[in-house]
Amino acid sequence: GSPSIFGSLIIFAIPIVAALVYYEKKPLRKFLLFGVLGMMCLCDLFTFSRGSWVGLIVAMTLFAVLVDGRLIAAMLAAMGGVLVAVPSIADRIAYLFTRDYLEASAAGGRSIRWETGMELLKSRSQWLGYGLGRFGGAVAMNNRTDGDIEYFYLDNYYLKTLVESGYIGLIFFLLLLAFLAVYGLKAMLKAGSGERPDRSADPLLRRVGSDSLLCAGLLCGLCGIAVHCLFENIFEEPYMMAYFWGLAAAMIVLPKAASETEKVLR
């Protein structure tokens, strides 16, 4: 029902499928997965959700840094081709830099929403916030307990967290995400600690079957969602929360689970 939430689901999936392209050994499977990857990129493109585009760019740039730097050039070429071949997408991006967009955003868009949220926060305790479920998200929209304010979604999960739970709530939430990123990197390094990849081989074949690739795909997908939350209340969808933290847990335990499985097989 929501192009933005669908875009978030695609952000999750694309880095994982990209990791599987490098993970698989058989050429036919690599080719099929590459086709799936292309279709998913087109799916996200035609959601016309600019927030999901930004999240995907961040996720795949991080994936390129961790796995194969050549992907950055491929991404730039693909984005250039899309801007030339699909004028409606180029127009949607260019609209961000027009006076009309600034006026519309200030009248009823994100600018006025974010400004209203900050003003509401300043009217109460900035450290403790306005109160959980009181403003900026689905709970507040469905209940509207305060008749003195106009309710709407803040379209920024971090700002919603700040307004409702204050700087204390936002700081601890950001610490949680930071620890998740650290543990994700540790999981990726641990999963690849016993590997001796052939540096002379092509990156597509260098780490075939490596669990560190799967950890990298999961971590990049999670980072893409975290970036998308800057523009939408992504975590307001319960199943998005379930996917996010479920896959985060899978990423963290993957090296240990793979090690135990290997022992059983031996």
Side-chain angles (χ1 to χ4, degrees), residues 188-203:
M188 188 183 71
L189 294 174
K190 185 177 180 180
S193 60
E195 299 171 358
R196 295 293 183 270
D198 182 5
R199 297 296 177 184
S200 63
D202 187 274

Side-chain angles (χ1 to χ4, degrees), residues 257-266:
S259 177
E260 293 297 326
T261 302
E262 187 176 352
K263 288 180 182 178
V264 171
L265 291 175
R266 286 178 180 175

Side-chain angles (χ1 to χ4, degrees), residues 20 91 121 174 237 265:
L20 288 173
D91 291 342
L121 175 66
L174 293 177
E237 290 287 349
L265 291 175

